[in-house]
Amino acid sequence: METTLRGVGVSHGVAIGEVRHMGTAVLEPPAKQIPAEEAEREQGRARQAVEAVAADLIARGNLAGGEAQHVLEAQAMMAQDPELMADVERRIAVGSTAERGVYDAFASYRALLAGAGEYLAGRVADLDDVRNRIVARLLGVPMPGVPDSDEPYVLIARDLAPADTALLDPALVLGFVTEEGGPTSHSAILARALGVPAVVALPGAGELAEGTLIAVDGSTGEIFVEPSDAKRAELESAAAARKAALTAATGPGATSDGHKVPLLANVGGPSDVPAAVEAGAEGVGLFRTEFLFLDDSQQAPSEEKQIAAYRAVLEAFPEGRVVVRVLDAGADKPLDFLTPADEPNPALGVRGLRSLLDHPDVLRTQLTALSKAAEGLPVYLEVMAPMVADRADAKAFADACREAGLNAKFGAMVEIPSAALRARSVLQEVEFLSLGTNDLAQYTFAADRQVGAVSRLQDPWQPALLDLVALSADAAKAEGKSCGVCGEAASDPLLACVLTGLGVTSLSMGAASIPYVRATLAKYTLAQCERAASAARAADSAEEARRAAQAVLSGE
């Protein structure tokens, strides 16, 4: 009998196949004591396992490339964290086995993150995966991971670590469903990059029996268990229609009546550029430069290394617009040379622009490198600061750009509600705004962007979040300046229409989402988008807002 479940759709498309479950997690190792004379040997085993796991993660990243490579390299750094390793060795020194020392040290670190306000709990899946891989290697058991299968299937898991998501084979893994996670988790972002339909935050997903036939709609978040022939035909027909629309829609982003909405790509480095170019991106709306810095948490990359990375991206978009976000460190992206180690709540502490203003030499080097990278290129370079709270922040950043001799537009990211509420004031100092809807939702609703339990509040359809977008867009229009969206909200085709109706002037997203957004925008006039935006803001919940916008655009 057909039943319907609903989670959070995070990657477009429809997948129909049998359920296969993720391999079981590593069991907790026994808490036995070892003689003192064995401690040194056990410490050596632990170090070897850590290095082997880190090397494996880096190798997986090299194979995957793009966004996945950056994520996995960051995860390898987590495995090699010197403080964690020191804790492991201390535990072994007082009698723990290598595997038990690793298990307990990671448990302690997990508890520490929870005590720090749970902002970093967004990386719990990453942390658990690193622990499981190290313990599995020490115990000599198979690594946890995707199941072996000769036939295509839909993968079910409690959560998916980046190392698993990055190397999914779309020919075998038709789609995936997780019990936990959120729309802005690493796995969700990587699923969109892979083009694999995915639904997260589905309670009870693990109870779906192995071999059960399900249909996954990554756009709506619906899961149809034992779908009828009619439902399967309906979903397959809708998927075919969407594919045809994607093929037909080409050229710059625009509504059906010609209102231009540039569609830009979010990239993490040169390896992400080919996919963006292939998808027809009109430029880059968010160049995340922090991945360049995460290669070495002990020191900033040299000016020469930065110039080479920036120029590789700038050269790919001649005559195009490239918006670079300066280093966004802190919170879930700590850097030893930059980030305070003892903050009680890193999410509300010294991160983003605040870190850079405390370390002006790091900011100056980055701005100088960007200036040199753009020399002689016919590119429209724009540089923006993360975590701008008010006009004073915006002025400090603009002043730093001018002092570095940067020939570019200076902008501010709107990720803190205060910046949206006082957007017109912020715009007295900068030339454009860019809405980071992931963090803006997090700070608006006090809801960690990676915790599945609060994913309802991370839904970018929340009317309160749409209100803040509208405030920012209205302020930019009044000042004759631009206001784009570079958060994950822009990758939802229906929401992209609403954002356009709210007055947003450009949309930036993962390359895989660009064709979907282009095709959907081309179906509606600007007036229809504006009516859909008004209907969504008048709603009282995210789900009501989505339904109201859909009703307007479908002519109901």
Side-chain angles (χ1 to χ4, degrees), residues 478-524:
E479 294 295 328
K481 297 179 178 180
S482 63
C483 176
V485 169
C486 65
E488 289 301 313
S491 65
D492 178 336
L494 182 61
L495 186 50
C497 295
V498 168
L499 295 173
T500 298
L502 292 173
V504 166
T505 56
S506 66
L507 298 165
S508 189
M509 65 208 75
S513 297
I514 291 175
Y516 290 92
V517 173
R518 180 190 291 118
T520 305
L521 269 178
K523 292 164 58 178
Y524 305 109

